[in-house]
Amino acid sequence: MKKKEYPNLFPKLDTYGPPKESINKPYLLKLGASFRIGMPANQSYLYIQESMTRKKSNLNVLHPKKLFNQIVVATGILELSNSKQKAILERKDKNDFYVGLRRIYVDINDAIIAKEVIPL
């Protein structure tokens, strides 16, 4: 039995697959790359964490008013087993983000798409 073919009503519109402008290439992360921290996607940052282990009590610790518009530098790259990259970021002026918090961990590709981190 032959499969029934339907006519293409909009031949210029490609309805198969994601739209071409929504395809994002992964960011090529290098040590020493500079970033600016943008506004959070929600009430709090989704892809910026203060530690590698994410606890429920730590979800709202990173306050957007203190992190917004900070210039940060990538000091380390972590390659996770699910082929995602996490960047270790420190402030460019070597000060703490908060008292005792020198570095933050960022899921770099998702944070760039959400504009939580902007490459310079």
Side-chain angles (χ1 to χ4, degrees):
M1 203 166 171
K2 200 170 192 182
K3 188 176 179 182
K4 187 174 183 181
E5 288 190 29
Y6 294 101
N8 191 356
L9 298 176
F10 304 103
K12 292 184 180 179
L13 180 65
D14 184 20
T15 57
Y16 301 107
K20 289 177 179 48
E21 63 270 359
S22 73
I23 296 173
N24 295 311
K25 295 180 182 175
Y27 181 76
L28 184 62
L29 183 64
K30 295 180 183 175
L31 289 178
S34 296
F35 299 97
R36 180 182 302 272
I37 297 180
M39 289 298 289
N42 272 342
Q43 297 280 335
S44 62
Y45 288 102
L46 297 176
Y47 304 108
I48 300 176
Q49 295 97 26
E50 67 177 22
S51 68
M52 284 299 295
T53 59
R54 197 159 189 191
K55 301 175 187 173
K56 288 189 177 186
S57 62
N58 292 340
L59 287 177
N60 293 325
V61 172
L62 296 175
H63 199 274
K65 288 184 181 178
K66 293 199 176 195
L67 290 180
F68 178 66
N69 240 358
Q70 293 284 337
I71 304 290
V72 293
V73 177
T75 58
I77 302 169
L78 300 172
E79 191 76 33
L80 301 179
S81 62
N82 59 358
S83 74
K84 286 193 174 191
Q85 285 186 338
K86 283 208 178 223
I88 302 171
L89 301 179
E90 292 182 2
R91 282 180 55 170
K92 192 167 188 168
D93 57 1
K94 302 292 182 194
N95 290 335
D96 291 350
F97 290 104
Y98 298 104
V99 177
L101 182 64
R102 276 192 78 78
R103 57 183 64 151
I104 55 176
Y105 298 88
V106 178
D107 187 1
I108 197 70
N109 289 326
D110 293 334
I112 288 175
I113 292 170
K115 296 190 178 162
E116 290 183 356
V117 173
I118 303 162
L120 297 178

